[in-house]
Every structure is written in C-alpha cells, then in structure tokens.
Amino acid sequence: MRITRIRAVTTIRAEVAREAGVALQTLYPSSPGGKPALAKLVYDITLAGDARPVPRSDRPEVQSILDEPDPARKLARYAAMATAILRRVQPVHRVLRAAAAASPTDAGLQEVLADIERERLKGSQGPAHHPHALGALRPDLTPARAADQIYVLTSTTITATR
C-alpha cells in the first residue's frame, strides 16, 4: 500500500513537470503556494476544461441551460454537462486523494480536498434553486434537498457510466 501511495505522489509530480516542459526539481519552487496551490490549479483547469478566467456561470454550456425553457431539456443539458465535467475531473481528483493519503501530515493537500468539497456543495445550490424559481421542482422537493441530491450525484467517487 505504501508503494502505491508513493507512486501516486511521484506520478502527479512527474506528469505535471512533463506537461509543463520543466525539470521535476523546478516544479514546486516555481509554483507560488507550492504543491497545494499547484494541485488546486490543475484541478480547477481540469474542472473548467480550459485555463480561461471565465466563471462557470458565464460559460456557454451553463448559459444554454439557463436559457432553455423546457425543464426536461434543461435537466438533460445539466446532466450532460455534469457528466462531461466528472469524466474530466475524476482522474485528477483520484490522484489528489491518493497524494493526500500518501502524505497525511500534509495539511495543504487535505485543505485543497476540503476546498473542492466546499465548492461542490456551494455549486450544487444554483442547479437546485434555478428550477425551483421556475416552478419546475416537484412540490415535495425543496431546493435544499435538491441541492443535496445534486451534490451526491455529482460526486467524484461515483463512477460515470458509458
């Protein structure tokens, strides 16, 4: 188990250095905030799908969801977007969890994972409140409960199918 953890930490460092075209030894000193900031940056870029500084709410796929008048098509568009995001981000999240497990005393990586979960929890609010504001949620489903369900269904530990 220890060897697997060491490989996970070593692999992420080597892959990031290779993709950046720099020597492994220069990777962390050249990254402001060190390993946690670099890990969060890699996660955020993977989540967004690019490095453009555009908030998720201003991205075309989100706008198309907001602009869709039909609730069923709106939900289908959201599900497609969420699935695409999960497919991109699951491998990165898996490596981050492995790196954090391999370095349990590294509070920085633990905090990155905690930040990611806080952001996911907050991010589940919009997709729940938007249909509620349109009257598209079942009467017995509160926005808070819908947000909880979205949070669970978009977990990186659930494997996307197809």
Side-chain angles (χ1 to χ4, degrees):
M1 185 66 136
R2 175 96 173 118
I3 291 172
T4 302
R5 289 180 180 160
I6 291 169
R7 280 191 192 127
V9 173
T10 304
T11 300
I12 191 171
R13 290 177 183 170
E15 287 180 25
V16 170
R18 182 177 41 75
E19 288 293 321
V22 299
L24 184 60
Q25 297 84 344
T26 63
L27 185 61
Y28 293 132
S30 64
S31 174
K35 182 173 31 175
L38 180 61
K40 184 67 166 85
L41 179 63
V42 168
Y43 181 87
D44 287 347
I45 289 172
T46 304
L47 177 73
D50 58 52
R52 294 179 302 138
V54 178
R56 169 114 337 253
S57 60
D58 293 342
R59 292 187 174 256
E61 62 270 18
V62 172
Q63 287 303 310
S64 76
I65 294 166
L66 295 174
D67 294 342
E68 173 57 58
D70 180 79
R73 286 194 302 261
K74 188 181 290 285
L75 181 59
R77 285 183 183 187
Y78 177 77
M81 181 185 73
T83 301
I85 290 170
L86 281 171
R87 285 189 175 133
R88 280 196 311 266
V89 84
Q90 275 182 326
V92 173
H93 199 268
R94 191 176 307 117
V95 171
L96 288 177
R97 285 192 318 263
S103 306
T105 59
D106 187 339
L109 284 178
Q110 305 299 331
E111 188 58 29
V112 166
L113 288 171
D115 283 346
I116 288 169
E117 288 308 304
R118 281 190 289 272
E119 290 169 5
R120 274 190 355 87
L121 186 58
K122 182 179 177 186
S124 68
Q125 301 299 312
H129 286 277
H130 178 69
H132 173 71
L134 300 173
L137 285 185
R138 291 188 331 250
D140 63 328
L141 182 60
T142 67
R145 181 72 177 143
D148 289 345
Q149 291 174 355
I150 290 167
Y151 177 75
V152 169
L153 291 172
T154 58
S155 169
T156 57
T157 58
I158 295 174
T159 304
T161 58
R162 285 212 279 153

